[in-house]
Amino acid sequence: MKNKKSTVKLPSECTTIIVGEKMTSDGSRIAARSEDWDAMYAKNFEVFEDTNCGPKEFVAKDSPFHCELPKKALGYKALSPYHLHGEWGSAGFNSVGIGMSSTETIFSSDKALAFDPYIENGLAENSIFNVILPYIHTAREGAERLGAMIEKYGSAEGFGISFIDDKEIWYLENACGHRWLACRIPADKYFVTGNQSRFRNYDPKDKANYLAAPDLVDFAAKNKLYDPSKGDFDFHEAYSRDEEQDTTYNYPRVWGLQKMFSPSIKNDVTKNTFPVFAKADHKIGIADLRRAFRFHYDNTDHDPYLHSNPKEVYRPVSIFRTTQTHLLQVRPELPSAIGCVNYVAEGMADLGVFLPLYQGVRSFPKAYQIGDGHSSNDSAYWIFRKVMTLGMVNYNEYAPLIKETYAKFEAETDQRQKEMEAEYLKLYKHEPMKALDLLQDFSDCVLNKALEVAESLTEELFTRLAADTQKTYLFHGA
């Protein structure tokens, strides 16, 4: 029964949070996203090396898209589904410290698509990460390369993509087949989106903060998607959509997360009037983002796990079919090997554990590189997935143990990171190889220890489940 895939075709849907450096607690930049797809598709960690003789062409395995590639390619790390290695890379840094998160599924309006439809063999979500990240040296260059490819090949579907480096963060939203807009994230703001285009303003003269298809505004005006006589151009109004399902599937996530970070902002959950870029009431750190991606309207009437309600109308941020959540952090004051960190939680973040993947590590333990569509004891993905599956059997009884155990592990890892990084900085200038060895040993230790913690949790949860089952079906006689 090995390698049995899910029989249900599920959409790839996500939640994105981006934080500028003046809005974070430590001056870092962060681009983060949860990938909500299908729990049955194990994620494998991939490592690609720098090369001067890479493939000349990219040919997608699960879409008609193909394109030419430069022979010279940077090394990078990726998180791919087990059956599509080299595609759906999802998130990671390349060898010069540029990070990319791909993709947030978004939707253009039917009216816009009538004038510029999606291209069946165009650039699709599955391909973007792997044809962009190996070929860019800045975040801005990432937006420019992607924009040029949208114009040349057309888009097969709607998507939003983030790029991060040691100077800035860019986020790109496409619009119909060949149009797009990218904005530089303000340093003193944060940005939240959940399966919708969020951009509004666009100033074609402001080249420092905007990049776009050259005819973005003119095309909209020509096809009556935008009426210049009624005021400033609004990208969302011109190209995107707001439908009934958005009011329960998408709006509540933006509303809930902005309420978490900015309780002083009074949003109406039923209306798409949320600020595009918002100021948090307090600075945001990695711990805050872990909490944000675990959000499920905790302890309210809309909490589906508290109330054992799989038909809850408000779609949570953290759902069971999440395959991974990542927090791409760049700390410019540090060498990229330790300054660029991708915190990854495999599976459902609410019942998962975030692990630091440093840009400078050269490999990952084998368990993180394997796993398919069938549970196994040697795959990290499935080791973590077992814990959350048991947790969901009786969330109110079992989830507290999982959360407490993983919170303790994350706190201990945070402290050990500080100690390791201090030692790394002492070594790297004069003994760079020793510094890299130190980093690799730390990474291997943390990732392997996380597996031990998860396996121990599985045994404890299974023991509790067995005891609870016995109580239910005791048939103890007279």
Side-chain angles (χ1 to χ4, degrees), residues 25 53 114 120 184 217 236-237 258 330-331 335 400 420 454 459:
S25 55
C53 53
E120 184 178 356
R184 188 167 72 122
V217 178
H236 180 89
E237 288 292 332
Q258 287 194 350
V330 175
R331 296 171 292 172
M420 180 277 295
E459 298 306 324

Side-chain angles (χ1 to χ4, degrees), residues 192-263:
V192 174
T193 183
N195 299 129
Q196 271 199 303
S197 165
R198 296 269 289 121
F199 288 160
R200 297 283 187 175
N201 298 332
Y202 168 50
D203 181 357
K205 297 179 181 178
D206 185 356
K207 304 298 184 183
N209 293 299
Y210 298 98
L211 296 165
D215 65 343
L216 183 70
V217 178
D218 291 342
F219 180 86
K222 175 184 175 183
N223 293 291
K224 296 181 171 54
L225 303 173
Y226 158 59
D227 183 351
S229 68
K230 293 184 177 180
D232 294 338
F233 174 76
D234 184 318
F235 178 77
H236 180 89
E237 288 292 332
Y239 287 103
S240 190
R241 73 180 195 187
D242 283 283
E243 298 187 348
E244 181 63 29
Q245 68 182 35
D246 293 319
T247 62
T248 55
Y249 201 82
N250 300 329
Y251 295 178
R253 280 180 282 162
V254 176
W255 169 81
L257 290 173
Q258 287 194 350
K259 187 176 181 180
M260 178 185 292
F261 295 138
S262 311

Side-chain angles (χ1 to χ4, degrees), residues 155-417:
S155 303
E157 54 199 336
F159 46 75
I161 316 287
S162 57
F163 302 94
I164 183 170
D165 64 20
D166 62 354
K167 294 181 177 61
E168 53 191 8
I169 309 173
W170 284 83
Y171 187 77
L172 181 149
E173 295 180 346
N174 71 337
C176 48
H178 299 83
R179 273 79 201 174
W180 59 279
L181 172 63
C183 298
R184 188 167 72 122
I185 303 298
D188 62 344
K189 301 285 180 62
Y190 70 91
F191 170 81
V192 174
T193 183
N195 299 129
Q196 271 199 303
S197 165
R198 296 269 289 121
F199 288 160
R200 297 283 187 175
N201 298 332
Y202 168 50
D203 181 357
K205 297 179 181 178
D206 185 356
K207 304 298 184 183
N209 293 299
Y210 298 98
L211 296 165
D215 65 343
L216 183 70
V217 178
D218 291 342
F219 180 86
K222 175 184 175 183
N223 293 291
K224 296 181 171 54
L225 303 173
Y226 158 59
D227 183 351
S229 68
K230 293 184 177 180
D232 294 338
F233 174 76
D234 184 318
F235 178 77
H236 180 89
E237 288 292 332
Y239 287 103
S240 190
R241 73 180 195 187
D242 283 283
E243 298 187 348
E244 181 63 29
Q245 68 182 35
D246 293 319
T247 62
T248 55
Y249 201 82
N250 300 329
Y251 295 178
R253 280 180 282 162
V254 176
W255 169 81
L257 290 173
Q258 287 194 350
K259 187 176 181 180
M260 178 185 292
F261 295 138
S262 311
S264 59
I265 297 177
K266 305 304 179 185
N267 288 324
D268 183 342
V269 69
T270 67
K271 298 177 181 178
N272 191 2
T273 54
F274 316 109
V276 177
F277 303 112
K279 283 200 172 186
D281 288 6
H282 302 284
K283 295 294 182 72
I284 298 170
I286 291 295
D288 298 302
L289 289 170
R290 290 170 183 155
R291 183 167 63 95
F293 281 103
R294 288 168 170 147
F295 178 67
H296 49 86
Y297 315 103
D298 306 45
N299 303 311
T300 71
D301 291 343
H302 290 286
D303 187 336
Y305 311 134
L306 175 68
H307 303 296
S308 302
N309 179 21
K311 297 187 181 297
E312 163 58 45
V313 295
Y314 279 15
R315 195 269 211 196
V317 172
S318 184
I319 60 177
F320 185 76
R321 63 184 177 89
T322 302
T323 54
Q324 54 84 14
T325 300
H326 57 267
L327 319 175
L328 295 167
Q329 182 186 44
V330 175
R331 296 171 292 172
E333 75 280 5
L334 296 174
S336 61
I338 60 169
C340 299
V341 192
N342 184 11
Y343 292 88
V344 173
E346 294 217 69
M348 180 186 192
D350 185 51
L351 298 179
V353 59
F354 282 90
L355 305 172
L357 310 182
Y358 282 91
Q359 188 259 2
V361 300
R362 295 159 289 191
S363 65
F364 300 111
K366 184 179 179 181
Y368 290 85
Q369 302 176 56
I370 60 176
D372 52 33
H374 195 282
S375 178
S376 65
N377 292 324
D378 56 357
S379 162
Y381 179 87
W382 282 108
I383 289 170
F384 293 122
R385 181 62 76 182
K386 287 176 185 178
V387 172
M388 54 198 68
T389 302
L390 288 168
M392 291 299 288
V393 170
N394 190 339
Y395 184 90
N396 291 318
E397 287 294 323
Y398 303 158
L401 171 65
I402 299 171
K403 292 170 176 284
E404 180 183 344
T405 302
Y406 282 156
K408 180 181 178 183
F409 181 83
E410 287 175 350
E412 291 173 350
T413 301
D414 289 345
Q415 180 57 39
R416 289 180 176 137
Q417 281 183 261

